[in-house]
Amino acid sequence: MTLLAIAAAILISMMLALVRAMLGPSVFDRILAVNSFGTKTVLLIALLATLAGRADYLDIALLYALLNFIGTVALLRYSESLHRRAGQAPTREAI
Amino acid sequence: MKHTVSLSLFLALLWWVLSGYPKPLLLGLGAVTVIFTVWLAHRLDVIDHESHPIHFSWPLLRFWTRLLVEIARSSIQVLGQILRGQSAIQPKFLHVKTQQHSALGRVILGNAITLTPGTVTVLTNGGEFVVHALSKESAKSVEDGELDALIPQDVEGERV
Amino acid sequence: MSGLESTGSTTADLIAGALMALGALLVLLGSIGINRFPHFYSRLHAAGVIDTLASGVFLLGVGVFFGVGLVSVKLLLIFVFLLFTSPTACHALARAAFISGLRDDSRRADANTSEAIITKADNA
């Protein structure tokens, strides 16, 4: 019962992060939401490990934490290089 | 040389913790991986005291413990503000001067400020930080330099 | 080893369940904060709570469930990794947003004084 509530709480949080990713309004709000979604995925996999009673799942959680970080930094570098190519900092409306 | 040996030992330990199987094949693959990684690190010339700190100091341990307490305290503060909503927060940008003179000291401080919920280091320029604070209380704790004073003064690093 | 659902409720399992429930509640509150706070920079702080306190409490609960051993080192590794990457990602995000010209609308005047610092940093 408790585990069902925990799983529900994390899944609802992931949904809330997706809502923020869709609403934006700036590209940085979306990147923040995706990063936060990734952290919740790590916790969900840790929860799955306890549900299945298998510690091996934690390796996947660790890997996911790594990929999430690299993904976020890659996205940010991409958005920074876009701004640099545009020559000047865009206004808020442009984002 | 000291750092190379310590890095190899650390990587071998990491392999053992993540794998946990004492089979010859897996241990052999681990040895190959460790040697390859250390070789890569050598080629990149990143093995020094800054990327791989092996000195241990009690003040640094005390700093980390205090930081964890600080994180818990300000997390609870931010949670209260989330529950009370928009009326509870006064977000603003601040300019803070740090008393850290080494590059490493400044990195530790910037990271510590970002790690505590309620404050984020936005920009750094020399000894000056631009910090975004969520509320008056979190702004005050940064302006008072609580974390700045906690950082042990004996951190190694290039003086700037 | 069997899962949490099938084991009898020993004291350790109860503590593990309570810690994980508390962690999940904190994650939920943080997510509400991400949607409730008005501007991008305020939302960063709400996400910071999820990365530090919430995941710390949750992983501590998972650690209590699995007991002391190689698994607890692995969990500690996940937590330390989150603790190291979270401020890096957070700072990179804030910096990129600030440089691209995104400001806290309510405090435009304060933000304008920061332009001087960017210019100084660019000239250096």
Side-chain angles (χ1 to χ4, degrees):
Chain A
M1 199 52 225
T2 328
L3 282 165
L4 205 65
I6 296 169
I10 292 187
L11 286 173
I12 291 171
S13 316
M14 290 169 94
M15 233 156 65
L16 285 171
L18 281 185
V19 168
R20 178 45 68 200
M22 280 190 278
L23 289 181
S26 73
V27 70
F28 302 107
D29 286 281
R30 296 179 216 272
I31 298 177
L32 175 69
V34 169
N35 186 27
S36 165
F37 188 86
T39 309
K40 285 160 201 160
T41 313
V42 173
L43 297 185
L44 189 69
I45 298 172
L47 177 68
L48 271 178
T50 63
L51 271 171
R54 297 185 60 165
D56 319 5
Y57 287 15
L58 293 174
D59 292 331
I60 305 169
L62 187 63
L63 195 70
Y64 212 93
L66 259 153
L67 282 176
N68 183 37
F69 172 65
I70 294 170
T72 305
V73 173
L75 265 175
L76 284 167
R77 286 205 76 115
Y78 175 65
S79 82
E80 256 183 55
S81 75
L82 274 187
H83 291 150
R84 219 158 271 161
R85 213 170 300 156
Q88 61 177 54
T91 57
R92 189 172 182 184
E93 286 71 35
I95 308 165
Chain B
M1 195 57 218
K2 190 172 66 169
H3 289 96
T4 311
V5 171
S6 132
L7 181 68
S8 314
L9 284 177
F10 176 76
L11 287 173
L13 191 72
L14 190 67
W15 178 278
W16 171 248
V17 167
L18 290 180
S19 125
Y21 288 103
K23 290 179 183 162
L25 174 68
L26 288 168
L27 289 179
L29 283 175
V32 171
T33 313
V34 167
I35 291 167
F36 180 66
T37 313
V38 172
W39 175 71
L40 263 187
H42 249 293
R43 257 180 71 99
L44 285 166
D45 196 23
V46 288
I47 307 182
D48 53 27
H49 67 264
E50 220 168 84
S51 65
H52 188 69
I54 46 174
H55 61 274
F56 177 83
S57 72
W58 280 108
L60 213 55
L61 189 71
R62 204 161 52 218
F63 170 71
W64 272 98
T65 326
R66 259 308 292 277
L67 186 61
L68 284 179
V69 173
E70 208 61 30
I71 286 170
R73 197 182 59 77
S74 56
S75 286
I76 291 163
Q77 202 176 39
V78 172
L79 285 171
Q81 283 152 353
I82 289 174
L83 287 175
R84 275 178 289 152
Q86 209 168 327
S87 58
I89 58 171
Q90 298 93 16
K92 69 169 187 177
F93 289 98
L94 317 160
H95 295 261
V96 193
K97 277 205 182 349
T98 165
Q99 46 169 302
Q100 300 302 320
H101 292 294
S102 65
L104 192 59
R106 284 175 189 167
V107 170
I108 292 176
L109 177 66
N111 259 329
I113 290 175
T114 313
L115 204 49
T116 29
T119 50
V120 169
T121 313
V122 181
L123 285 179
T124 58
N125 180 42
E128 226 176 310
F129 286 10
V130 179
V131 176
H132 185 266
L134 184 61
S135 63
K136 271 184 190 147
E137 298 92 69
S138 40
K140 195 176 172 300
S141 69
V142 177
E143 275 168 344
D144 290 352
E146 283 172 22
L147 287 170
D148 203 356
L150 283 171
I151 294 175
Q153 288 305 308
D154 62 342
V155 283
E156 286 176 59
E158 197 186 322
R159 299 236 146 207
V160 278
Chain C
M1 200 194 293
S2 54
L4 243 192
E5 211 68 271
S6 51
T7 47
S9 38
T10 62
T11 325
D13 284 350
L14 279 178
I15 296 172
L19 282 172
M20 280 162 71
L22 181 64
L25 184 72
L26 294 178
V27 170
L28 190 61
L29 278 171
S31 309
I32 291 171
I34 291 183
N35 277 279
R36 205 171 179 199
F37 280 159
H39 299 294
F40 165 72
Y41 293 102
S42 336
R43 289 176 194 137
L44 265 181
H45 303 298
V49 176
I50 299 178
D51 282 347
T52 55
L53 186 70
S55 61
V57 172
F58 192 91
L59 291 176
L60 187 66
V62 178
V64 171
F65 172 74
F66 280 112
V68 181
L70 275 186
V71 182
S72 25
V73 184
K74 220 176 264 187
L75 280 163
L76 193 70
L77 217 61
I78 297 180
F79 180 61
V80 167
F81 193 78
L82 281 177
L83 221 54
F84 274 94
T85 57
S86 149
T88 314
C90 198
H91 167 70
L93 205 54
R95 190 185 134 85
F98 197 90
I99 288 176
S100 84
L102 187 72
R103 294 291 180 273
D104 224 330
D105 279 353
S106 54
R107 305 273 159 168
R108 209 166 261 284
D110 280 326
N112 283 342
T113 59
S114 314
E115 304 288 354
I117 292 219
I118 294 189
T119 338
K120 250 198 279 175
D122 281 346
N123 291 341

